[in-house]
């Protein structure tokens, strides 16, 4: 039986949805499941991790692991991978996962694949599917090593409720800090905002909004809908939106039920971050804008005129 | 300070790419410098200007890379190495990392700057694996660099809960995001001078590593086929009176798309 080790995605002490998605996929494949959780004051998550479908929980809980640091985090994952004898080591899609996975693969001598959208066990080994060239093509990749380390693309696997595994906690040794790459501080993002990765609706703003007043206008729409508020790179570069709001190849990959692109042209690097959304609505004053090639519903118009109407109409139906 | 930047020649992602019989159709493709590597080159040149760094670039594979290497010369890179070999035909990030390790060992660089990912593979692995192979510290997704002294730099990286500030001991490896800078357009004078500069070209044997040592004979993974990606179909586009079409679209979101 295949053995899968899932790296728990924890943010501010809370388990993120991707952990359940990955464990659900592993169970659907009939694999034995283990999970590794790394951080500070996270031991209490063991029960939740069992409930999410893991049968063993490898836990590295220490004040020294409070701030993310790729080196020590990788050591913890390698330790858990060896103890669990996992064939596959899966990270959810995150900056941390992208930084740690290649280290773990190098240390284990395993194959490494990022942004995978599917994985299958063939008679002879593991095969994965992933996009490449800014999502313009897909690749089917054969894994030649016994082990695979993978980062799973956001939205690739569906969460299934009611998995329930069993609680079996294994405490990991705490690795020493990386003295050659010393983490000094994390300047945290504004808290209290809806995480783009978790949002069921994402409203994003582009250069079409011009300035702060335009950004604020679109933000009100996002607030009405309790939606995640994202951005194209143009508005991040312009200083109107924070880096962590950028959607696209360099930013976040999102796959919400509804994505609303307000004044965004639809450059391929932006599309690569949102074209897995279930439904896309675009507002753009240029009828030839490429965003209309992927939008299910396109409103050709000036967002300064359309957004207030949109808010009113949405209030009517959402009452 | 001696800096090495890695530069890959990749297919131009702005053009249409077609797949036939499990392979990418070569016809009509064009090749350019990987966008994130332009950011790496710009970062190196800025360190040269501010901190007197010596700058070298290396490109692996890709056949005739002269145009790309000369573009980097024109941006301000001092020296260029091109390693090409038939054995690299199916190389993946881990093979490239092994070859780059040899380049770094020979050249003795203090800082290696790679792009955060190559636009053809979208892997984001090579720089991190190179650091592992060398036993160097590494920070990925870097958005700013400050030189503290001869053996330390301070970098910031975009992480999951904010901007991480990290002090890196040299020698080390960083991979850069496009948010780090805006690559310069080479000036005419630079372009003219770049034409005359020599490129240090070699094969794997010339570098002092065999295909087997690089891992070419035992690829950890290989692409068995390319497939067209699921393209979204353009939906409906509404033009005309803003109040009318907006109300109509909102109605459809509720009744047809059923998202509310
Ligand atoms: C290596 C690399 C990585 C990148 N990564 C990302 C990434 O992660 N995310 C990302 O977004 N981009 C990324 N980019 C940049 C990308 O190529 C585009 O430059 C960017 O997405 C453009 O942002 P935009 O659509 O807001 O601006 P523009 O392309 O300028 O488009 C603005 C749009 O607004 C419309 N408009 C103008 N006024 C109005 C109005 N009043 N009402 C309605 N519409 C209006 C215009 O018709 C236009 O279509 C990357 C680029 C590179 C090279
Ligand atoms: N063939 C190559 N030649 C030079 N640099 C490379 C090569 N392949 C990868 N790199 C570097 O490694 C980065 C990440 O590549 P990848 O792991 O393929 O996403 C790129 O941005 C380059 O800087």
């Amino acid at each position: 039986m295949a053995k899968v080790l899932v790296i728990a995605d924890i943010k501010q002490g809370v388990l993120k949805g991707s952990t359940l998605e990955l464990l659900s996929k592993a169970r659907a494949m009939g694999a034995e499941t283990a999970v590794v959780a790394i951080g500070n004051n996270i031991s209490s998550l063991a029960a939740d991790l069992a409930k999410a479908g893991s049968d063993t929980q490898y836990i590295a809980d220490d004040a020294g692991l409070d701030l993310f640091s790729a080196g020590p985090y990788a050591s913890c994952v390698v330790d858990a991978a060896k103890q669990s004898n996992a064939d596959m080591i899966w990270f959810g899609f995150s900056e941390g996962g992208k930084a740690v996975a290649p280290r773990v693969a190098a240390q284990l001598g395993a194959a490494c694949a990022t942004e995978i959208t599917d994985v299958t066990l063939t008679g002879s080994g593991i095969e994965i599917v992933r996009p490449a060239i800014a999502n313009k093509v897909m690749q089917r990749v054969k894994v030649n090593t016994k082990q695979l380390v993978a980062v799973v693309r956001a939205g690739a696997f569906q969460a299934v409720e009611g998995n329930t595994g069993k609680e079996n906690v294994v405490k990991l040794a705490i690795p020493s800090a990386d003295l050659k790459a010393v983490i000094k501080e994390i300047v945290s993002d504004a808290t209290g905002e809806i995480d783009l990765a978790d949002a069921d609706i994402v409203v994003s703003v582009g250069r079409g909004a011009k300035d702060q007043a335009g950004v604020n206008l679109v933000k009100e729409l996002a607030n009405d809908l309790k939606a995640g508020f994202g951005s194209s790179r143009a508005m991040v570069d312009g200083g109107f939106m924070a880096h962590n709001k950028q959607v696209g190849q360099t930013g976040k990959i999102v796959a919400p039920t509804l994505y609303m692109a307000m004044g965004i042209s639809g450059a391929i690097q932006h599309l690569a971050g949102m074209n897995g959304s279930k439904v896309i609505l675009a507002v753009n004053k240029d009828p030839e804008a490429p965003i209309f090639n992927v939008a299910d519903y396109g409103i050709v118009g000036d967002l300064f005129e359309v957004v207030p109407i949109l808010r009113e109409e949405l209030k009517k139906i959402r009452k | 300070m001696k800096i090495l930047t890695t530069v890959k020649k990749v297919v131009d992602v702005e053009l249409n790419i077609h797949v036939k019989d499990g392979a990418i159709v070569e016809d009509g493709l064009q090749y350019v410098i990987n966008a994130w590597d332009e950011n790496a080159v710009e970062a190196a040149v800025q360190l040269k200007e501010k901190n007197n760094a010596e700058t070298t670039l290396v490109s692996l594979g890709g056949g005739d890379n002269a145009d790309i290497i000369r573009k980097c010369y024109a941006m301000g890179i001092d020296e260029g190495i091109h390693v090409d070999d038939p054995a690299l035909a199916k190389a993946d990030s881990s093979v490239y990392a092994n070859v780059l390790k040899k380049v770094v060992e020979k050249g003795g660089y203090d800082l290696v700057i790679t792009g955060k990912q190559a636009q053809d593979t979208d892997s984001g692995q090579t720089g991190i694996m190179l650091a592992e192979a060398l036993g160097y510290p590494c920070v990925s997704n870097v958005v700013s660099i400050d030189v503290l002294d001869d053996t330390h730099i301070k970098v910031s990286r975009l992480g999951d809960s904010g901007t991480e500030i990290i002090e890196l001991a040299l020698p080390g490896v960083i991979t850069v995001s496009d948010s780090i800078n805006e690559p310069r357009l080479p000036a005419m004078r630079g372009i003219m001078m770049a034409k005359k500069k020599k490129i240090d070209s070699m094969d794997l044997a010339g570098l002092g590593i065999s295909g087997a040592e690089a891992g070419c004979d035992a690829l950890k993974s290989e692409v068995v086929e390319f497939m067209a990606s699921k393209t979204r179909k353009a939906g409906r586009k509404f033009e005309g009176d803003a109040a009318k079409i907006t109300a109509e679209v909102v109605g459809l979101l509720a009744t047809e798309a059923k998202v509310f």
Side-chain angles (χ1 to χ4, degrees):
Chain A
M1 203 199 303
K3 293 190 178 126
V4 175
L5 175 69
V6 168
I7 288 66
D9 201 353
I10 302 166
K11 200 170 172 189
Q12 275 137 8
V14 180
L15 203 56
K16 307 296 286 181
S18 71
T19 309
L20 179 60
E21 291 166 10
L22 271 50
L23 284 168
S24 299
K25 173 71 177 179
R27 290 193 90 95
M29 290 174 80
E32 260 178 53
T33 53
V35 57
V36 51
I38 307 163
N40 184 24
N41 280 329
I42 47 134
S43 294
S44 58
L45 290 176
D48 288 346
L49 289 166
K51 227 185 285 163
S54 64
D55 288 335
T56 309
Q57 298 79 36
Y58 294 93
I59 296 197
D61 189 349
D62 190 80
L65 296 168
D66 196 30
L67 301 184
F68 172 80
S69 177
Y73 273 52
S75 303
C76 294
V77 176
V78 168
D79 185 5
K82 286 185 176 155
Q83 290 195 45
S84 65
N85 204 11
D87 310 287
M88 291 187 273
I89 296 133
W90 293 352
F91 290 81
F93 198 82
S94 62
E95 287 306 331
K98 287 192 270 184
V100 174
R103 292 170 188 255
V104 171
Q107 288 174 30
L108 293 172
C112 186
T114 50
E115 293 205 33
I116 72 164
T117 55
D118 201 8
V119 52
T120 42
L121 295 170
T122 65
S124 53
I126 309 168
E127 257 185 26
I128 60 108
V129 175
R130 64 184 296 277
I133 322 186
N135 275 24
K136 289 206 158 173
V137 299
M138 302 295 288
Q139 305 177 321
R140 194 159 59 84
V141 179
K142 184 159 93 40
V143 174
N144 294 331
T145 50
K146 197 189 141 289
Q147 276 175 314
L148 166 71
V149 178
V151 181
V152 177
R153 193 173 160 86
F157 302 155
Q158 302 312 313
V160 178
E161 299 292 339
N163 276 322
T164 65
K166 54 175 186 282
E167 204 172 322
N168 171 31
V169 173
V170 179
K171 287 219 176 303
L172 295 177
I174 304 305
S176 46
D178 188 342
L179 299 177
K180 288 173 162 184
V182 181
I183 170 93
K184 291 291 182 187
E185 67 172 311
I186 298 185
V187 184
S188 40
D189 302 331
T191 45
E193 290 187 17
I194 296 162
D195 197 330
L196 286 179
D198 296 338
D200 198 38
I201 302 177
V202 173
V203 175
S204 283
V205 63
R207 206 195 311 265
K210 280 194 198 73
D211 53 20
Q212 200 59 49
V215 169
N216 294 345
L217 179 75
V218 179
K219 186 170 186 184
E220 285 180 6
L221 170 64
N223 289 346
D224 287 354
L225 296 171
K226 300 198 171 41
F229 186 43
S231 176
S232 71
R233 194 179 82 175
M235 295 313 265
V236 173
D237 287 350
F240 299 112
M241 292 289 287
H243 273 300
N244 68 327
K245 297 294 179 188
Q246 183 171 319
V247 171
Q249 245 196 333
T250 304
K252 299 256 178 348
I253 309 242
V254 297
T257 308
L258 175 63
Y259 187 85
M260 301 170 116
M262 301 290 139
I264 293 176
S265 61
I268 64 159
Q269 295 89 353
H270 188 80
L271 300 185
M274 45 64 86
N275 64 6
S277 305
K278 194 157 160 268
V279 176
I280 298 173
L281 165 71
V283 176
N284 195 305
K285 70 177 184 188
D286 173 10
E288 304 304 323
I291 191 79
F292 289 128
N293 297 332
V294 300
D296 301 281
Y297 302 99
I299 297 177
V300 180
D302 182 340
L303 71 87
F304 289 92
E305 193 186 350
V306 172
V307 170
I309 303 171
L310 204 49
R311 291 182 65 201
E312 285 311 310
E313 292 295 331
L314 285 165
K315 270 182 200 145
K316 283 187 209 159
I317 65 156
R318 281 168 62 86
K319 253 205 284 231
Chain B
M1 185 187 289
K2 282 181 78 176
I3 300 177
L4 179 73
T5 57
T6 57
V7 173
K8 190 179 190 188
K9 175 167 148 181
V10 296
V11 23
D12 186 346
V13 300
E14 301 291 341
L15 301 178
N16 283 330
I17 291 166
H18 301 284
V19 173
K20 202 177 161 218
D21 302 328
I24 289 173
V25 180
E26 276 293 322
D27 229 26
L29 294 185
Q30 278 181 34
Y31 290 86
V32 292
I33 171 170
N34 180 41
W36 283 286
D37 296 348
E38 270 192 75
N39 297 108
V41 165
E42 176 64 33
V45 173
Q46 286 185 15
L47 289 172
K48 170 180 159 176
E49 290 165 347
K50 263 202 295 196
N51 304 82
N52 276 323
E54 288 169 45
T55 55
T56 304
L57 77 84
V58 59
S59 190
L60 310 180
D64 183 0
N65 274 6
D67 48 346
I68 280 165
I69 294 176
R70 291 197 196 286
K71 180 173 183 194
C72 300
Y73 282 161
M75 287 173 75
I77 294 287
D78 302 316
E79 280 173 48
I81 303 169
H82 183 205
V83 182
D84 206 356
D85 199 290
L88 293 174
K90 291 181 87 179
D92 60 6
S93 299
S94 118
V95 169
Y96 286 134
N98 291 337
V99 179
L100 289 172
K101 173 177 185 242
K102 193 79 197 176
V103 175
V104 174
E105 284 169 351
K106 275 182 84 174
Y109 304 98
D110 303 298
L111 177 64
V112 183
I113 310 179
T114 80
K116 74 170 212 162
Q117 76 196 48
Q119 286 173 296
D120 53 356
T121 65
D122 284 334
S123 279
Q125 301 174 17
T126 306
I128 300 170
M129 287 182 168
L130 168 64
E132 283 290 321
L134 287 162
Y136 286 4
C138 176
V139 181
S140 55
N141 204 24
V142 165
V143 293
S144 77
I145 311 171
D146 280 305
V147 174
L148 298 176
D149 56 45
D150 284 352
T151 52
H152 292 87
I153 59 174
K154 190 163 90 174
V155 296
S156 56
R157 96 181 263 279
L158 295 181
D160 293 307
S161 35
T163 305
E164 300 165 7
I165 315 289
I166 299 159
E167 246 176 60
L168 188 77
L170 302 180
V173 179
I174 60 174
T175 85
V176 295
S177 159
D178 48 289
S179 309
I180 193 172
N181 56 38
E182 183 70 40
R184 70 192 64 195
L185 293 171
M188 205 44 174
R189 202 177 105 84
I191 296 172
M192 296 312 289
M193 289 198 345
K195 285 196 175 136
K196 285 182 253 146
K197 272 186 112 117
K198 96 175 214 320
I199 296 169
D200 193 6
S201 300
M202 62 194 76
D203 59 9
L204 288 181
L207 178 65
I209 184 171
S210 68
E213 282 172 274
C216 300
D217 304 348
L219 294 173
K220 293 194 164 65
S221 65
E222 47 197 308
V223 178
V224 281
E225 102 177 293
F226 284 95
M227 299 167 287
S229 50
K230 269 188 256 142
T231 43
R232 294 185 80 101
K233 277 203 218 65
R236 271 178 286 166
K237 201 155 63 178
F238 298 80
E239 297 186 58
D241 177 59
K244 191 169 152 282
I245 59 175
T246 305
E248 193 178 346
V249 168
V250 169
L252 288 169
L253 285 174
T255 57
E256 189 181 76
K258 297 194 170 55
V259 292
F260 294 120

